[in-house]
């Protein structure tokens, strides 16, 4: 006890610290449990059931071993606590039973839902990603720029090119996140009104550009990405695909759209991209703007949980690909150094913000 008191720490603080550390250790089970819920299809089962479902009904529908029904109860108790599912009462055979229903969060895991984020969960919690973090301490002492190079011997993008299955899964992650952008279109129509053209830079399979082209037939949308992403993609009158390296060339347009592109890269590469956009705007008679959907870290205004999520994504991007999430000050510095004069940030996209950048 003397040692504790000499350090200015009370016994209560010691036990609170113990709880804090144990939570950090066991928190990985939260992620793995979420992945399991998606793989089992719990949200789909409840949705198909048409009303809240009892534990026995859920166990039967999931076709799990009867001896694991009690374990399923513990599973669902955690999910109710964290808000993934809700607990209510239903009447069966004139008796009330506890049952589980969907929450706004779990509706995003329904496969028939147009805003399904299940690929995001299973993709980012894939074994290739998760296992890499076992080697963080080795990476810190190694000379490799990224964790991926330490563990796999290749940069992330090179590894994707050599592993088509993981590459396809990664594209599904990006596409599922893009589909959520339909909400942005509905709430932010003035941002796109009046545009005659838009380039979706690094847009992959063009999920977001497709949404814009359908919502605004008057906008000619172009998706610029590497050949493996855009080759043989179906085109329409106002949706075209261009094979190319965005660091080498970005065609002139009324708007240049980047959805979660910049956080994959360091400041030097991001500055190159922004300067390419600025050159394209200059060649277009100073007509054009940059639209960015990405994370903006704001520890003063965001609540603790939101900030933690943003900082975890910052670690994920930095360790795996050498990128980063940025504060408003860091974003502003990039814009000024690239030759832009002003910008607006609107935190309207969940964990991400919409940033408009003007010449």
């Amino acid at each position: 006890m003397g040692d504790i008191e000499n350090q200015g720490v009370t016994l209560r603080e010691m036990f609170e610290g113990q709880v804090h550390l144990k939570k950090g250790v066991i928190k990985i089970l939260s992620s793995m449990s979420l992945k399991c819920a998606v793989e089992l299809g719990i949200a789909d089962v409840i949705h198909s059931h048409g009303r809240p479902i009892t534990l026995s009904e859920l166990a039967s529908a999931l076709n799990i071993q009867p001896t694991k029904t009690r374990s399923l109860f513990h599973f669902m108790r955690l999910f109710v606590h964290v808000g993934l599912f809700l607990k209510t009462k239903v009447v069966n055979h004139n008796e009330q039973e506890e049952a589980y229903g969907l929450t706004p969060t779990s509706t995003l895991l329904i496969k028939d839902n147009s805003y399904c984020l299940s690929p995001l969960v299973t993709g980012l919690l894939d074994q290739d990603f998760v296992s890499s973090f076992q080697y963080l301490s080795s990476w810190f002492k190694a000379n490799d720029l990224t964790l991926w190079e330490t563990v796999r011997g290749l940069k992330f993008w090179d590894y994707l090119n050599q592993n088509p299955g993981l590459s396809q899964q990664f594209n599904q992650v990006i596409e599922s996140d893009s589909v959520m952008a339909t909400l942005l279109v509905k709430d932010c129509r003035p941002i796109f009104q009046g545009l005659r053209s838009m380039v979706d830079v690094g847009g992959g399979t063009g999920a977001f550009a497709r949404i814009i082209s359908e919502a605004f037939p008057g906008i000619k949308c172009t998706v610029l990405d590497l050949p493996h992403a855009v080759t043989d993609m179906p085109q329409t009158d106002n949706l075209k695909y261009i094979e190319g390296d965005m660091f080498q060339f970005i065609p002139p347009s009324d708007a240049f759209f980047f959805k979660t592109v910049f956080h994959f890269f360091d400041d030097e590469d991001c500055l190159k991209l922004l300067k390419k956009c600025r050159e394209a705007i200059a060649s277009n008679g100073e007509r054009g703007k940059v639209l960015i959907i990405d994370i903006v870290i704001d520890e003063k205004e965001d609540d603790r949980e939101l900030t933690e999520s943003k900082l975890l994504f910052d670690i994920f991007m930095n360790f795996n690909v050498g990128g980063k999430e940025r504060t408003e000050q860091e974003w502003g510095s990039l814009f000024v150094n690239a030759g832009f004069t002003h910008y607006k940030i609107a935190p309207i996209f969940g964990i991400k913000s919409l940033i408009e950048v003007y010449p």
Side-chain angles (χ1 to χ4, degrees), residues 115-287:
Y115 308 132
C116 180
L117 293 183
S118 289
L120 180 73
V121 174
T122 55
L124 294 186
L125 293 177
D126 182 85
Q127 179 69 17
D128 277 319
F129 283 111
V130 175
S131 63
S132 297
F133 288 102
Q134 294 285 345
Y135 302 92
L136 277 175
S137 58
S138 299
W139 170 69
F140 269 109
K141 295 181 179 181
N143 293 324
D144 303 307
L145 178 62
T146 66
L147 176 63
W148 213 263
E149 292 169 84
T150 297
V151 178
R152 311 292 176 190
L154 292 170
K155 292 182 179 180
F156 175 74
W157 305 112
D158 294 332
Y159 188 84
L160 278 190
N161 289 336
Q162 295 184 20
N163 293 268
L166 186 64
S167 179
Q168 182 181 18
Q169 192 173 43
F170 179 75
N171 287 335
Q172 289 173 346
V173 170
I174 301 300
E175 188 159 347
S176 70
D177 197 40
S178 294
V179 172
M180 286 289 291
T182 56
L183 304 176
L184 170 70
V185 176
K186 293 177 181 177
D187 292 342
C188 304
R189 294 186 69 88
I191 293 171
F192 302 98
Q193 287 174 342
L195 296 179
R196 296 173 301 183
S197 59
M198 185 191 81
V199 178
D200 187 355
V201 186
T205 58
F208 182 82
R210 194 177 308 115
I211 293 166
I212 296 298
S213 68
E214 293 171 355
F216 300 93
I219 300 179
K220 293 189 179 299
C221 297
T222 301
V223 180
L224 172 67
D225 213 320
L226 296 173
H228 74 270
V230 301
T231 299
D232 298 326
M233 290 299 299
Q235 306 193 55
T236 65
D237 289 341
N238 67 329
L239 176 59
K240 307 296 182 183
Y241 291 82
I242 296 179
E243 297 180 5
D245 184 345
M246 60 187 176
F247 289 102
Q248 300 299 320
F249 170 73
I250 296 178
S253 180
D254 289 349
F256 307 93
F257 182 77
F258 296 83
K259 190 191 77 64
T260 55
V261 170
F262 287 100
H263 72 169
F264 283 108
F265 302 102
D266 60 20
D267 287 345
E268 183 179 354
D269 281 340
C270 289
L271 194 57
K272 290 178 183 177
L273 289 177
L274 287 167
K275 285 183 175 179
K276 287 293 180 185
C277 292
R278 190 65 186 87
E279 291 170 5
I281 289 173
S283 69
N284 196 32
E286 289 298 305
R287 178 182 174 88

Side-chain angles (χ1 to χ4, degrees), residues 287-329:
R287 178 182 174 88
K289 63 180 178 179
V290 179
L291 300 174
I292 300 169
I293 291 179
D294 223 316
I295 287 175
V296 178
I297 296 174
D298 189 346
E299 296 185 64
K300 289 184 179 180
E301 295 297 326
D302 291 341
D303 62 42
R304 190 178 186 87
E305 183 177 4
L306 181 56
T307 295
E308 181 181 7
S309 296
K310 291 181 177 182
L311 295 179
L312 286 172
F313 270 106
D314 178 50
I315 288 175
F316 188 89
M317 302 310 302
N318 182 258
F319 292 1
N320 279 312
V321 297
K324 60 188 287 190
E325 307 298 353
R326 295 172 170 84
T327 63
E328 179 175 350
Q329 183 178 5

